[in-house]
Amino acid sequence: MDHRMTRTTTGNRVRALFILLLAASCTNTSGPDVEHDAEEHVPQQRSGPPTPLFDPDSAYAYVADQVAFGPRVPGSPAHKACGDWIVRRLRAFGAQVTEQQGVVTAFNGQKVPMRNIIASWLPEAKQRVMLCAHWDTRPFADKDKDRPNEPIDGANDGGSGVGVLLEIGRHLNELVAPVAGDAPGIGVDLIFFDVEDMGEPANAMVGERNSMDSWCLGSQYWSRGPHVPGYNARFGILLDMCGARDAVFYQEAISMRYAAGIVRKVWRTADRSGYGDRFVPETKYFVGTDDHDVINRVLRIPTVDIIEFYEPTGGFHPSWHTHGDNITIIDPATLKAVGQTVMEVVWSER
Ligand code: AHN
Ligand code: ZN
């Protein structure tokens, strides 16, 4: 299980090499071309601990581990086992873990058990950053011609966001560890929302508010009663469907409406980190609703959604809510672009 711990030594060596290369590129000011290149690809100089390297193979393994449990349909044994595994991982990473359990009502009247998982580093810090994803998977494949009533693997839809969050969580003790003479750091919360994906299957009413309210039941529950009364954060970042091969991320319209400044911060950071080809600074309206919607509207924490826009469909990846959403569409390179960018944003907060 903890084969990842053995990667730490390699990680440190890779990081040392990275810092050496960075130092070399910073002192090499012999030609204007070199200097220009360094400006574009090297993150801004700042104080505080350097951003650790996000390990794409570790993140990928976390996605595969989730898929191996089977579909994480709320109420199922696989869902329970995967939730327990997420909690164990987070505790091993040094987080304080809080769970929110409740019962919510699906669009068809069915009562569904709900389990939100919240992992906190520096829980007492007033200045906080929130990162989130949904960890449940859709109980049916309503966009598939074959076996539409069977649950999906949700490697991308569910699995990818959780995989990236866990790999970030593996490094968060390094961020919050006290440094001699340094001001107290900022706190971080990773929130794993349940029952995001039991929304009403699309019909003529698509885009209508009532049908939109049937999605994101875990984040609705948390937004109306956060795990800490009066909870606040400087900003939030939601990760949803962020692991498919060649995925490109546009500035999602709901995020632009409520949190344009944070969107620009994230997309600028991606560019500075060398992922400008993945993060395109143009707005696309293609998400009906997602977990960040209710967080923005109810708690008013400016929260952005990093979610793939797939050009040929003008919307989601073609595997969306089909059996094609399995581990074969996941690419560690996509997880890396997203994970390293988000870590750079978080590590830049002072
Ligand atoms: C709609 O836009 C209808 N749903 C986006 C929320 C979602 C479902 N994300 C993943 N699955
Ligand atoms: Zn979905």
Side-chain angles (χ1 to χ4, degrees), residues 134 157 196-197 212 215 240-241 287-290 316 320-321:
H134 77 90
D157 193 355
E196 186 273 351
D197 228 341
M212 287 297 117
W215 302 87
D240 193 8
M241 300 192 276
V287 175
T289 191
D290 209 343
F316 299 141
W320 185 58
H321 295 175

Side-chain angles (χ1 to χ4, degrees), residues 113 182 206 301:
D182 223 24
V206 71
I301 296 170

Side-chain angles (χ1 to χ4, degrees), residues 10-187:
T10 325
N12 282 337
R13 267 193 221 114
V14 170
R15 194 176 318 135
L17 185 66
F18 181 72
I19 290 165
L20 257 164
L21 287 171
L22 199 76
S25 80
C26 287
T27 48
N28 185 355
T29 52
S30 51
D33 289 341
V34 174
E35 206 162 43
H36 178 74
D37 204 51
E39 284 288 323
E40 276 195 345
H41 299 291
V42 175
Q44 254 183 352
Q45 283 298 110
R46 52 176 170 75
S47 60
T51 311
L53 289 180
F54 179 98
D55 182 343
D57 299 325
S58 173
Y60 181 89
Y62 289 137
V63 178
D65 288 347
Q66 291 170 76
V67 171
F69 283 104
R72 281 80 68 212
V73 174
S76 70
H79 179 267
K80 163 88 173 103
C82 185
D84 292 348
W85 170 80
I86 291 172
V87 170
R88 282 199 307 274
R89 301 271 27 96
L90 294 167
R91 292 213 168 108
F93 300 154
Q96 176 187 293
V97 179
T98 310
E99 296 192 45
Q100 253 189 347
Q101 310 227 30
V103 177
V104 293
T105 307
F107 68 92
N108 55 4
Q110 190 196 331
K111 298 286 185 203
V112 179
M114 178 225 66
R115 180 186 189 186
N116 290 331
I117 299 166
I118 302 112
S120 303
W121 282 259
L122 286 196
E124 306 305 327
K126 283 276 164 290
Q127 296 298 319
R128 314 195 64 75
V129 169
M130 187 270 289
L131 309 176
C132 56
H134 77 90
W135 71 277
D136 63 306
T137 55
R138 192 155 176 81
F140 30 76
D142 47 313
K143 297 287 181 189
D144 207 319
K145 293 174 297 296
D146 301 322
R147 299 183 288 124
N149 300 318
E150 292 178 28
I152 63 171
D153 281 357
N156 197 33
D157 193 355
S160 63
V162 170
V164 170
L165 287 190
L166 287 177
E167 173 54 11
I168 293 173
R170 193 170 70 84
H171 299 279
L172 280 172
N173 263 347
E174 302 171 46
L175 175 68
V176 301
V179 176
D182 223 24
I186 52 150

